């Protein structure tokens, strides 16, 4: 049954240049409610393409993606409604520079979820307190460090009460000393039971927080398993080579 899993990806393909480049080459993946799945692999392996396909920011060439049992690749489905179930955090923070932190957080809930202004602000302040940034509610993004902006980007996504959080290399644009503060927020989310799919180069995070690690190369999933399976007992030669270079 398709709806046993929160996300069910079936034989997903994404081709560019009239089929010459296979960014995704028959990927199948299930993600269960409350599960943290971390996707690793070399540059150009298809990790981000897969993640961005989960809310159709990338339109697949073929294959199916079921979210809550609904095939979102079906053109009759209101994809904007399904995107509201998925928070997305990118490498770059994508905050509105002309709006305060608080307004960045309340805009979408008010416009898309029709939340009353007071209710949206209350929720925003609660989330800002969780990441120790409530004192920055009235500042503008340019007045914040990169790490602070990324923490705001995460809690802004949480303002929409998503079922799933997608993270596309959320720390890769940060200075090294700011990486930890963002990973701490993500660890806290995982601890609260949020369903998460994370593309990252942070192997320590993958080892510590993931329920399952997925290794991709050349548009395919070559190995999947627990962090212990992947990091301590890799089977695939391509995975062994990858780990030898980065660990």
């Amino acid at each position: 049954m398709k709806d046993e899993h929160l996300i069910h990806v079936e034989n997903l393909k994404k081709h560019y240049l009239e089929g010459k480049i296979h960014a995704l080459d028959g990927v199948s993946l299930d993600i269960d409610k409350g599960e943290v799945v971390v996707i690793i692999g070399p540059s150009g392996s298809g990790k981000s393409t897969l993640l961005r396909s989960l809310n159709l920011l990338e339109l697949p060439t073929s294959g199916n993606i079921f979210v809550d049992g609904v095939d979102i690749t079906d053109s009759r489905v209101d994809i904007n409604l399904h995107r509201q179930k998925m928070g997305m955090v990118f490498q770059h923070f994508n905050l509105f520079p002309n709006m305060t932190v608080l307004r960045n957080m309340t805009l979408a809930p008010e416009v898309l979820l029709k939340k009353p202004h007071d209710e949206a602000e209350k929720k925003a302040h609660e989330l800002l307190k969780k990441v120790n940034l409530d004192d920055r509610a009235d500042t503008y993004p340019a007045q914040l460090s990169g790490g602070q902006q990324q923490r705001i980007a995460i809690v802004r996504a949480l303002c929409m009460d998503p079922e799933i959080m997608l993270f596309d290399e959320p720390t890769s644009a940060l200075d090294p000393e700011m990486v930890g503060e963002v990973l701490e927020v993500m660890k806290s989310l995982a601890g609260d039971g949020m369903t998460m799919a994370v593309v990252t180069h942070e192997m320590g995070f993958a080892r510590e927080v993931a329920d399952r690690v997925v290794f991709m190369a050349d548009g395919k999933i070559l190995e999947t398993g627990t962090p212990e399976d992947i990091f301590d007992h890799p089977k695939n030669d391509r995975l062994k080579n990858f780990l030898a270079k980065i660990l």
Side-chain angles (χ1 to χ4, degrees):
M1 286 290 291
K2 302 288 188 284
D3 57 0
E4 282 179 3
H5 307 284
L6 189 54
I7 297 175
H8 172 74
V9 178
E10 202 173 81
N11 198 25
L12 206 63
K13 297 182 181 181
K14 176 66 177 182
H15 299 165
Y16 296 103
L17 296 176
E18 298 174 341
K20 293 191 184 84
I21 295 176
H22 292 192
L24 295 175
D25 196 10
V27 169
S28 296
L29 176 70
D30 293 322
I31 300 175
D32 293 326
K33 187 173 175 58
E35 192 176 23
V36 178
V37 174
V38 175
I39 305 166
I40 64 170
S43 293
S45 59
K47 310 182 297 290
S48 289
T49 304
L50 172 59
L51 194 81
R52 291 166 63 87
S53 296
L54 296 181
N55 62 2
L56 294 197
L57 288 178
E58 292 276 0
L59 287 171
T61 305
S62 64
N64 303 92
I65 304 163
F66 293 86
V67 179
D68 270 344
V70 175
D71 184 356
I72 63 170
T73 59
D74 185 329
S75 59
R76 293 166 297 183
V77 167
D78 182 351
I79 186 57
N80 289 322
L81 209 56
H82 273 272
R83 281 188 181 133
Q84 290 177 21
K85 298 179 182 180
M86 296 190 184
M88 180 103 191
V89 179
F90 301 89
Q91 293 177 37
H92 300 288
F93 324 120
N94 295 347
L95 299 173
F96 298 117
N98 60 327
M99 296 182 187
T100 63
V101 163
L102 190 63
R103 191 60 187 140
N104 262 284
M105 295 178 67
T106 58
L107 181 66
E110 287 178 28
V111 172
L112 298 174
L113 301 182
K114 307 291 187 240
K115 275 194 177 178
H117 179 70
D118 290 351
E119 189 183 321
E121 283 207 342
K122 181 170 180 272
K123 169 100 175 179
H125 281 297
E126 285 170 5
L127 288 166
L128 285 169
K129 284 180 183 134
K130 279 193 169 183
V131 295
N132 298 316
L133 287 172
D134 197 37
D135 60 333
R136 311 310 292 271
D138 296 321
T139 61
Y140 289 85
Q143 297 167 288
L144 302 172
S145 71
Q148 289 172 327
Q149 288 189 59
Q150 193 61 299
R151 281 147 65 197
I152 297 296
I154 293 171
V155 290
R156 178 178 66 171
L158 293 175
C159 280
M160 292 292 289
D161 297 318
E163 291 181 39
I164 303 152
M165 285 288 287
L166 308 176
F167 293 89
D168 188 8
E169 300 195 26
T171 59
S172 64
L174 297 177
D175 292 334
E177 68 269 21
M178 294 175 186
V179 168
E181 61 191 52
V182 173
L183 293 179
E184 282 303 317
V185 173
M186 293 170 66
K187 285 177 194 171
S188 169
L189 267 182
D192 290 342
M194 174 61 77
T195 308
M196 294 163 61
V198 184
V199 170
T200 186
H201 294 291
E202 299 293 334
M203 297 301 138
F205 175 84
R207 188 186 275 276
E208 184 182 344
V209 180
D211 295 303
R212 195 153 40 102
V213 179
V214 172
F215 173 70
M216 290 187 71
D218 304 319
K220 293 181 165 76
I221 292 177
L222 298 186
E223 193 164 334
T224 181
T226 65
E228 187 183 10
D229 292 337
I230 295 294
F231 293 112
D232 299 336
H233 311 289
K235 299 183 183 71
N236 183 278
D237 287 340
R238 190 79 191 273
L239 172 57
K240 289 176 186 174
N241 285 338
F242 174 75
L243 294 174
K245 286 176 184 162
I246 61 162
L247 292 182

